[in-house]
Amino acid sequence: SFCPDGLAFIILRPHTFAAELMKRYFSCVKFPTFLKKMKRWGFHVDEIMSKDEVIFHHPLFCRGDWERCRRIRYLDKIIRGAPHDKHRQFHKKI
């Protein structure tokens, strides 16, 4: 379901969600795997207050605002901050 302001969504009963919906819609069966995928899309998990709900938010996520949501991108390892650049030399000559 959605948070009242529409800027986040909530997964109620994550264990039920994992058992009944994840394999069908997200091609994974473990909730921690789903969490990793959501993080790779740039979603953040709000502090988990109980085992019965997990709240996700993203700076570009807004319920019903399809233009903003279309700008959400999958983050690869380089974008996430892995120190990798083929065009730079990081070694100093001694």
Side-chain angles (χ1 to χ4, degrees):
S1 73
F2 293 97
C3 289
D5 62 6
L7 299 177
F9 65 92
I10 305 169
I11 294 180
L12 302 170
R13 299 179 305 279
H15 295 292
T16 303
F17 172 79
E20 297 178 10
L21 298 173
M22 280 181 26
K23 187 174 183 180
R24 182 176 179 182
Y25 294 104
F26 300 102
S27 69
C28 58
V29 292
K30 295 180 182 178
F31 196 72
T33 303
F34 176 78
L35 289 174
K36 287 179 186 177
K37 286 186 177 195
M38 293 303 291
K39 288 179 182 178
R40 292 294 296 268
W41 280 96
F43 282 85
H44 302 279
V45 176
D46 285 345
E47 186 175 331
I48 299 173
M49 300 303 236
S50 74
K51 294 191 298 186
D52 292 331
E53 68 178 42
V54 180
I55 301 172
F56 292 91
H57 68 277
H58 188 287
L60 295 173
F61 178 82
C62 182
R63 180 183 185 185
D65 188 342
W66 294 106
E67 291 305 314
R68 274 181 69 180
C69 290
R70 282 188 187 102
R71 294 179 16 217
I72 296 173
R73 298 286 182 250
Y74 187 77
L75 306 174
D76 64 14
K77 291 179 183 176
I78 294 172
I79 293 173
R80 289 190 329 160
H84 182 271
D85 188 343
K86 292 181 182 178
H87 304 292
R88 289 187 178 172
Q89 283 286 351
F90 291 106
H91 303 286
K92 292 182 180 179
K93 292 184 178 181
I94 300 179

